[in-house]
Amino acid sequence: MTLPKTHVSSTTSVTSTILHGHSTRAVHAGAKRKKPYHALIEPIVQTATYAFDDLADIQAFIAAKEQGSVTHDDYGRYGNPTVQAVESRIAALENADSALLLSSGMAAITTTLLALLRSDDHIIITDDCYKRTREFIETFFARYGVSCTTVPMGNFEAIASAITPKTRIIISETPTNPYLRVLDIDRLVQIAKTHNLLTLLDTTFATPINLRPAQFGVDLIIHSGTKYLGGHHDLLAGTVVGREDLIDQIREHLGMLGGIISPQNAFLLGRGLKTLALRVRHQNNNAQQVAEYLESHPGIEQVWYPGLLSHPDHEIATRQMEGFGGVVSFTLCGTLDETAAFIDRMRLPYITPSLGGTESLISQPALMSYYKLTGAERQAIGIPDNLVRFALGIEDIEDVLADLEQALGRKQNAV
Ligand SMILES: *Cc1c(COP(=O)(O)O)cnc(C)c1O
């Protein structure tokens, strides 16, 4: 069979030496210069399986595969050229060896952990990780004999003292939701290396434009591609990026667990990725301006944004990140209902808990992600009634500020 070799690095014809900038990489990295039919754009290879010329061809394929040299894909669950082109672009953006795309962020997290851990292993996880990630580790994994210790975010003494001979991996997130806490990655990697542990970081809120954890020695990086990478609120996707030996092991398990991304969604993700740097820089800027505006507004109690001097992790964020991200959290001077009324008055952002796309989104965690808890329970875990999360889109900042002004202004008049 004469199909081109689909594994990307060896067919890259734009040399990596000229792919310095984030935007150049977002557009060109991993792309084969010559594509089928002379198409400029990588086609959507919408196929479930791949055919062989004859039985001799399939035997040659099997022999090559046994020797570890993959010549092409044989079945859609094991590989797809559209998917592989996007994977190599994500790996380049992260400055990492290798990337694997999956059907959602949660598929990336669960497939990774199922691939790497076995019963009797122990996990350390920081407490403000994504709710479903914690639920998977604390509840689901416990049923299979994988134990965990949950430690406060940023408390490295707690991490060090949670390590046991059974500990395999430390899992954390940066920046976190909703207070945008920023983890000191150097310290985390130092502790992990001392004890020979793997590190896994969910950096969905940062994107590879603002933070590239592989450069700090983090083994595995996870993104919900549903957020900034896709960037248009029109697909679900997930990715795990990092050390080649680990990614190969996870890819092998993905063939069994089956949470693959469709070629169509991979194409959309790849299309979204081309503008990642443009969008993220604009969102960084929008968020910084919104944070500064809110901090100086008398109707606002407190603002959390790593780009503000007042944020507890401003110093680490400045040292570690290239931009501070597109999410701002704040508390209003007001009650649960007054906060809800403010959100209802906002005209540009849609009301929903996601983030990262072209449209701005706004949410009130007390009434949305944490609706099951009582007010006292929410207060105890640090989710006050008047908390608002604003995930900036790519709208013009003047319009966003004018919208905030009218929504806050009217509230003040009403009080
Ligand atoms: C959304 C999100 C996830 C889950 O991703 P899905 O694509 O929705 O499965 C995981 N981690 C973080 C930080 C997220 O924001």
Side-chain angles (χ1 to χ4, degrees):
M1 187 178 247
T2 51
L3 274 180
K5 191 172 183 305
T6 46
H7 279 254
V8 222
S9 44
S10 58
T11 52
T12 303
S13 56
V14 178
T15 56
S16 56
T17 49
I18 63 165
L19 297 179
H20 287 307
H22 300 319
S23 239
T24 314
R25 284 188 210 192
V27 174
H28 289 289
K32 281 174 264 172
R33 203 68 182 178
K34 274 208 168 84
K35 303 179 187 76
Y37 310 114
H38 299 273
L40 177 74
I41 297 302
E42 188 73 44
I44 306 174
V45 182
Q46 186 74 34
T47 189
T49 191
Y50 306 85
F52 293 87
D53 295 341
D54 49 31
L55 265 298
D57 184 30
I58 203 163
Q59 282 166 321
F61 172 84
I62 292 166
K65 203 171 177 179
E66 300 270 278
Q67 289 168 8
S69 71
V70 184
T71 48
H72 60 86
D73 300 304
D74 57 339
Y75 188 63
R77 192 164 6 87
Y78 304 131
N80 177 285
T82 312
V83 174
Q84 285 148 0
V86 180
E87 287 174 343
S88 66
R89 210 137 39 94
I90 292 175
L93 281 167
E94 285 284 4
N95 267 348
D97 298 341
S98 195
L100 179 65
L101 268 181
L102 303 94
S103 57
S104 69
M106 280 316 298
I109 291 160
T110 56
T111 304
T112 297
L113 296 179
L114 286 166
L116 298 179
L117 295 163
R118 58 199 65 209
S119 79
D120 228 27
D121 284 345
H122 175 250
I123 300 173
I124 297 172
I125 181 167
T126 57
D127 62 356
D128 52 5
C129 280
Y130 188 67
K131 201 166 67 178
R132 289 288 183 166
T133 302
R134 283 200 338 258
E135 198 179 330
F136 178 74
I137 291 168
E138 291 167 354
T139 312
F140 176 93
F141 247 174
R143 304 200 325 242
Y144 296 87
V146 177
S147 61
C148 80
T149 305
T150 306
V151 300
M153 162 76 181
N155 186 336
F156 291 95
E157 288 72 33
I159 291 178
S161 60
I163 295 170
T164 77
K166 291 180 174 175
T167 308
R168 288 282 325 278
I169 188 165
I170 309 176
I171 299 173
S172 193
E173 219 167 282
T174 187
T176 64
N177 176 44
Y179 296 113
L180 294 320
R181 297 299 309 269
V182 177
L183 182 83
D184 187 336
I185 302 177
D186 275 334
R187 283 192 70 183
L188 184 82
V189 168
Q190 198 185 344
I191 292 180
K193 289 226 162 23
T194 308
H195 297 272
N196 213 10
L197 306 176
L198 291 174
T199 45
L200 183 155
L201 267 193
D202 181 334
T203 52
T204 297
F205 275 56
T207 82
I209 305 305
N210 290 332
L211 177 70
R212 288 164 300 285
Q215 295 172 342
F216 296 80
V218 170
D219 298 304
L220 291 167
I221 300 131
I222 294 238
H223 292 277
S224 166
T226 314
K227 315 294 168 53
Y228 291 97
L229 303 189
H232 294 74
H233 304 305
D234 56 6
L235 62 89
L236 280 105
T239 185
V240 51
V241 192
R243 265 171 51 189
E244 188 142 35
D245 59 322
L246 296 174
I247 298 297
D248 285 349
Q249 196 180 332
I250 301 163
R251 191 185 295 280
E252 197 58 36
H253 283 74
L254 178 62
M256 210 172 1
L257 294 166
I260 55 155
I261 191 167
S262 69
Q264 178 75 33
N265 270 6
F267 171 81
L268 283 173
L269 181 68
R271 190 185 215 265
L273 270 184
K274 292 189 184 181
T275 55
L276 182 68
L278 298 178
R279 287 185 284 106
V280 167
R281 285 171 184 150
H282 189 91
Q283 285 164 303
N284 287 343
N285 184 52
N286 277 6
Q288 181 74 37
Q289 295 207 43
V290 162
E292 288 172 12
Y293 166 84
L294 291 171
E295 196 165 50
S296 68
H297 196 287
I300 299 300
E301 191 180 75
Q302 194 175 349
V303 184
W304 290 266
Y305 184 67
L308 293 178
L309 276 168
S310 59
H311 191 277
D313 303 324
H314 177 71
E315 190 266 325
I316 300 169
T318 306
R319 182 154 39 88
Q320 191 167 277
M321 300 176 78
E322 227 174 285
F324 301 113
V327 177
V328 179
S329 292
F330 55 96
T331 44
L332 216 70
C333 301
T335 63
L336 183 84
D337 290 343
E338 283 166 341
T339 305
F342 155 76
I343 288 179
D344 286 344
R345 279 194 299 271
M346 289 290 288
R347 290 184 194 140
L348 276 181
Y350 286 87
I351 301 175
T352 171
S354 193
L355 63 137
T358 44
E359 289 83 357
S360 285
L361 309 180
I362 198 162
S363 67
Q364 186 172 4
L367 292 181
M368 294 164 68
S369 306
Y370 296 90
Y371 70 95
K372 279 187 182 158
L373 306 184
T374 66
E377 285 170 334
R378 288 195 302 265
Q379 201 68 41
I381 60 162
I383 303 293
D385 291 348
N386 57 347
L387 179 67
V388 178
R389 191 181 82 181
F390 195 6
L392 277 301
I394 62 162
E395 298 93 345
D396 294 297
I397 187 61
E398 296 77 10
D399 294 330
V400 178
L401 293 177
D403 196 20
L404 279 168
E405 183 78 17
Q406 65 78 21
L408 287 168
R410 269 200 256 164
K411 179 196 163 281
Q412 283 185 308
N413 295 342
V415 167

